[in-house]
Amino acid sequence: MARVRTAVLLSGRGSNLKSLIAAATAADFPAEIALVLSNVENAGGLEVARAAGIPAVAISHRDFESRESFDRAIDAALREANIALVCEAGFMRIHSDWFARVWEGKLLNIHPSLLPAFKGIRVHQQALDAGVKISGCTVHFIVAELDSGPIIAQASVPVLPGDTAETLAARVLEKEHKLYPHALQLVAEGKVKLENGRAVFV
C-alpha cells in the first residue's frame, strides 16, 4: 500500500503530532508523517519529530515581508518533500488566500471547539463564558476564512461544574489525540473529500 505523504505544521510542543506519529506506525495506516514544519525555531514539536526520525524544519515567519511570501516558502518546502496532505496542529499563523487555494482539499486543521462555535483564540474561555454544557474539538478542511472550512469529524466532551479554561482544555486535548488520526485516515483513504465547498463522504 502506497501511503500518503503527509506534513504536520505546528508552532508548539507537538502533542497532536505525537498522536499522528503513533497512529502512522500501524502498518495499515494510510498516511505517512514525512515532514514537520514550524514557524518557531525552538518549537518542541520539532524535537518530537527528530526523535521519531522525521525530517523537521523551522521556517520563521519573521524572515518574510508578507503572509504570502512566508506561505510560498512553506509551499516550496512541502513540494520539495513530495507532500500530498498537510495537517496543521497548533500552527499559530493565518494563511494567505493564495496558500488556502493552492492546497484546497489537502489542508486539514484541528480546532479545540465544536465549530462553528468559538472560533479564533481563547476558545475554552469563550465556551465557559457562554455557559455551554458541551464542548469538544473539530477537524476541518482549511479555507481562506478563519476556522470556517467544511467539517470532517468532531468529538465532544462535557463541560463540568467548576471547570476552568485549563481543565476543559485538558479534557478536549485527550479527544483531539484520538480524533485527528481518525480524520487523517478518512482523508488519506479518500473517504471524505472537499467538493464545491463541502466535505463529501464517499
Side-chain angles (χ1 to χ4, degrees):
M1 177 184 70
R3 302 206 294 165
V4 179
R5 289 179 62 82
T6 302
V8 178
L9 271 57
L10 51 78
S11 299
R13 64 189 186 276
S15 71
N16 270 303
L17 171 64
K18 290 179 184 177
S19 68
L20 292 170
I21 291 171
T25 60
D28 60 347
F29 195 77
E32 168 195 5
I33 308 304
L35 178 68
V36 174
L37 290 173
S38 180
N39 65 310
V40 179
E41 293 180 0
N42 62 349
L46 293 172
E47 291 308 314
V48 170
R50 290 170 184 142
I54 298 168
V57 179
I59 302 176
S60 175
H61 60 279
R62 301 180 190 281
D63 295 338
F64 298 88
E65 294 182 356
S66 68
R67 187 174 290 169
E68 185 173 318
S69 61
F70 169 64
D71 278 347
R72 286 184 180 274
I74 294 288
D75 175 73
L78 295 172
R79 293 183 187 281
E80 184 178 353
N82 296 314
I83 296 300
L85 281 177
V86 178
C87 290
E88 305 209 347
F91 186 62
M92 304 305 290
R93 304 299 301 170
I94 297 173
H95 286 300
S96 61
D97 289 356
W98 174 84
F99 190 87
R101 285 195 308 271
V102 167
W103 285 89
E104 184 176 288
K106 297 176 271 187
L107 193 57
L108 284 61
N109 183 52
I110 191 160
H111 183 76
S113 78
L114 293 175
L115 291 173
F118 313 127
K119 299 178 182 180
I121 59 173
R122 294 186 290 278
V123 169
H124 303 297
Q125 192 59 53
Q126 287 186 58
L128 293 174
D129 291 345
V132 298
K133 304 308 179 191
I134 297 173
S135 190
C137 50
T138 304
V139 179
H140 63 96
F141 287 111
I142 291 179
V143 297
E145 187 180 346
L146 180 67
D147 295 336
S148 297
I151 291 168
I152 299 166
Q154 292 182 305
S156 63
V157 302
V159 179
L160 303 178
D163 258 340
T164 64
E166 291 73 24
T167 59
L168 180 56
R171 195 176 310 116
V172 170
L173 191 61
E174 288 185 13
K175 290 287 188 178
E176 289 182 39
H177 292 164
K178 296 181 175 68
L179 186 69
Y180 214 171
H182 169 66
L184 173 57
Q185 181 171 352
L186 290 176
V187 176
E189 289 178 344
K191 292 181 178 176
V192 59
K193 300 177 180 180
L194 180 59
E195 294 180 0
N196 301 316
R198 298 181 64 87
V200 177
F201 291 79
V202 294

